[in-house]
Amino acid sequence: MPNLLLELRSEEIPARMQRKAAGDLKKLVTDALVEAGLSYEGAREYWTPRRLALDIHGLTAHSADVREERKGPRTDANEKAIEGFLRGAGLSSVSEAQVVSDPKKGDFYVAVISKPGRATEEIVTDIMPGIIRDFPWPKSMRWGKASSKPGALRWVRPLQSIVCTFGPEHEETTVIPFEIDGITASNITYGHRFHAPEPITVRRFDDYAANLEKAKVILDAERRKDIILHDARDIAFANGLELVEDEGLLEEVSGLVEWPQVLMGSFEEDYLSIPSEIIRLTIKTNQKCFVTRKQGEETLSNKFILVSNIQASDGGKEIVHGNGKVVRARLSDALHFWKRDQGNLPDLETLTASAAKFGLDINKPLDQRMAKLDALDVTFHAKLGTQGARVARIRTLAKELADITGADAALVDRAAVLAKADLRTEAVGEFPELQGLMGRKYAVLQGEDASVAAAIEDHYKPQGPSDRVPEDKVAITTALADKLDTLIGFWAIDEKPTGSKDPFALRRAALGVVRILLERKVRLPLRATTKDIDLLSFFHDRLKVYLRDQGARHDLIDAVLTPDADDLLMVARRVEALTAFITSEDGKNLLSGTKRATQLLAAEEKKGTVIADGVSPALLKLDAEKELFAAISSASKDASDAVAGEDFRSAMEALSKLRGPVDRFFEDVLVNDEDAAIRANRLALLRLIREATGTVADFSKISG
């Protein structure tokens, strides 16, 4: 079957857009082909900095013929109805329609519309201009003389050529020469901008990819990544070092080059006095280079790995030299930031009021930065005030939380006051992603307690499902205060997440609270802390997500989680105990009996059947009901005592003793006795079953 090759070649596409754009091209083209009646065996997308390519193999040469019968009005319908039918069916007169008789509905017109299949070349010619013109780039541009005209083509960067060939695997292919804004598809492409600028004639994907490689273009992005990674590892190893791997940077760099050439540069060892995180970010952000370290060590070396797009005749010496100059200049700036942040601010006299407000030591650099943050009235949010006001709120909340977490109150207060101070450092101003981490380093330099320093870094954590959770009690307390203040504040101004929109990352903050409470076993009454039922419900939603990700069944979570449950750690423990119980043989059988009891009881309650207020032992006539009453009385007390002691496994074990009595009750006892008093008493007994099991979970919500 024939194959289709498509290439859209342009000036350099931003690396961050390439992968998604290639996927979008594949989906748009294949969806349009299928909608037009074609089928294909497989499709794969490719991308480089200067091209998006698509290989569709096993594509049918024609769409199938279509025969459609369109039912019309009765033959005796009014003239306008018949005219409308003929017009819609594309018929010129009723003589072109068929008359079909229906014994019940009479005679009516039917139009038989036959549409012959279309050649794939014709379909591609029809669909491609629209796909290109409406391509979903995040940002696009117009260019050239035509850019001033309405409806001019927009593309991420100027589109230069299009390849579109179609044909069988082992025969000659044809060009599908569709045209858009003066660019006509052909079988001509171009290789590397500098190494092979001459035109290349291609037929199908295999020779297209092979000819591009001869022209110094590696089409497969994953292969480019693999080359870069392994060459970088090898060069580092040959120099007694190891590569500091970075998947995000690797993805970006592979989108910057078509013919990757991996080289090593260096900078002066004096710059290694800068924290490794700053060095790594400086080199990564400004030069898209990787850093290295001595094998088995954490500290960086003064060697870096760069990836060039040119195979230079001098072995890359000039490229390395040029990159080294830029790296050294950027590291010089970073060293300046690092040293400046450890010194005094020039306007200390303006900071005394803010220093007094927060109990800051104006002689310490980090304290000065916190005072500066407050004195400048830096806005946190228009409706929630300044960063200084926020720190004051976090400080107050952290003091309350310290009683719950058992953290040292004085250390918690100090951590809360200094947590945001590094926002005014020059290092964080240059690299915002270092907030917290730089605060910790500056805190250590000025002699802060280790717990305070750790809390300054960790109060932002966890920032996602795979991020680590703070361990130190001071850090746990500060992190909870920071996240809870964010959530309480945005709930107060009614800025809640809606659908997929969550501009203030409130879901992440709530999940962070959930993870801290559960993974660090913190008992926090959220309703009393947040004073907002709707916010408590939001926490419940995040808890469900977390527990489901941990493997918990959704029905077991629902069976335990009540609307007013505000101790999430206890909810998690109940779910854990219920999961273990309900998968046991006793649990399965008790669930079956309990469901039968609750369903029967619910049905009678719905009908308004009289149910006794309590069970009267005198009305228990049969041994099975007497045995069940005794078992419930015992199990209910034992389960309640166990729940009070937060021993949910023992509570489940106590309830498991009901299994036999419940089974015998339903075997031997007719609940709906003719005697109304006995019936009411037996229904009350069923209610006791529901109440007893309800001490640990709502069994009616459990499936199975």
Side-chain angles (χ1 to χ4, degrees), residues 246-547:
D246 186 326
E247 176 60 31
L249 180 59
L250 181 61
E251 173 79 9
E252 182 177 11
V253 170
S254 72
L256 297 174
V257 296
E258 291 191 318
W259 191 248
Q261 304 297 305
V262 180
L263 305 167
M264 176 175 277
S266 64
F267 53 85
E268 287 74 15
E269 291 191 354
D270 290 349
Y271 289 121
L272 294 177
S273 62
I274 306 169
S276 295
E277 295 84 358
I278 296 181
I279 294 175
R280 184 176 179 180
L281 268 176
T282 298
I283 292 176
K284 171 183 176 177
T285 304
N286 293 295
Q287 285 303 101
K288 313 302 180 191
C289 295
F290 298 86
V291 293
T292 64
R293 58 191 168 210
K294 292 183 179 179
Q295 293 178 6
E297 296 184 12
E298 289 297 320
T299 54
L300 299 183
S301 79
N302 68 325
K303 306 288 186 182
F304 64 92
I305 302 290
L306 64 100
V307 183
S308 170
N309 193 36
I310 297 174
Q311 188 173 337
S313 57
D314 65 354
K317 290 181 181 179
E318 280 301 313
I319 295 172
V320 169
H321 176 70
N323 275 268
K325 286 177 64 177
V326 178
V327 165
R328 283 188 285 275
R330 294 292 178 259
L331 288 176
S332 178
D333 292 342
L335 182 61
H336 175 71
F337 299 150
W338 171 240
K339 290 181 176 178
R340 280 278 297 266
D341 287 338
Q342 297 173 52
N344 291 331
L345 292 172
D347 53 353
L348 293 182
E349 67 281 356
T350 66
L351 306 179
T352 52
S354 292
K357 184 193 304 184
F358 290 98
L360 297 165
D361 184 347
I362 204 70
N363 294 310
K364 294 184 175 181
L366 199 57
D367 292 56
Q368 293 173 20
R369 272 68 186 176
M370 178 56 220
K372 186 72 172 179
L373 184 70
D374 179 67
L376 288 174
D377 287 334
V378 176
T379 300
F380 168 62
H381 185 279
K383 296 180 181 179
L384 293 173
T386 65
Q387 286 282 11
R390 182 168 185 242
V391 169
R393 293 195 305 270
I394 293 173
R395 187 183 187 188
T396 300
L397 185 52
K399 182 179 180 181
E400 297 174 9
L401 294 174
D403 293 335
I404 295 170
T405 62
D408 183 295
L411 295 180
V412 166
D413 186 68
R414 182 67 173 159
V417 166
L418 293 179
K420 306 297 181 184
D422 68 354
L423 296 178
R424 290 304 307 166
T425 62
E426 294 193 40
V428 172
E430 181 73 8
F431 301 112
E433 55 267 62
L434 291 181
Q435 58 187 295
L437 188 147
M438 294 311 302
R440 178 177 190 162
K441 291 185 180 295
Y442 294 134
V444 169
L445 286 173
Q446 69 177 37
E448 297 296 332
D449 185 279
S451 290
V452 171
I456 291 172
E457 177 180 3
D458 288 355
H459 83 281
Y460 289 107
K461 296 183 177 299
Q463 292 190 317
S466 59
D467 194 15
R468 66 179 176 85
V469 174
E471 295 183 18
D472 185 277
K473 287 184 178 180
V474 176
I476 288 170
T477 309
T478 312
L480 284 172
D482 176 65
K483 291 168 178 57
L484 287 170
D485 174 75
T486 298
L487 290 160
I488 292 168
F490 282 105
W491 245 252
I493 62 173
D494 199 28
E495 289 279 3
K496 305 169 188 176
T498 56
S500 61
K501 294 183 179 179
D502 186 10
F504 304 110
L506 302 182
R507 291 188 181 94
R508 186 176 69 186
L511 181 59
V513 171
V514 169
R515 287 191 61 200
I516 291 172
L517 297 182
L518 270 56
E519 295 178 30
R520 297 295 174 250
K521 297 178 173 51
V522 178
R523 304 283 303 279
L524 177 63
L526 280 172
R527 185 170 53 179
T529 304
T530 63
K531 301 177 178 62
D532 191 313
I533 294 297
D534 184 54
L535 181 51
L536 179 61
S537 176
F538 185 68
F539 277 115
H540 285 177
D541 290 340
R542 296 302 97 198
L543 175 66
K544 290 178 182 179
V545 171
Y546 175 80
L547 292 178

Side-chain angles (χ1 to χ4, degrees), residues 208-219 223 227 259:
Y208 164 74
N211 285 331
L212 279 181
E213 187 144 349
K214 291 177 185 176
K216 300 291 192 279
V217 174
I218 295 175
L219 185 64
R223 189 163 154 244
I227 290 170
W259 191 248

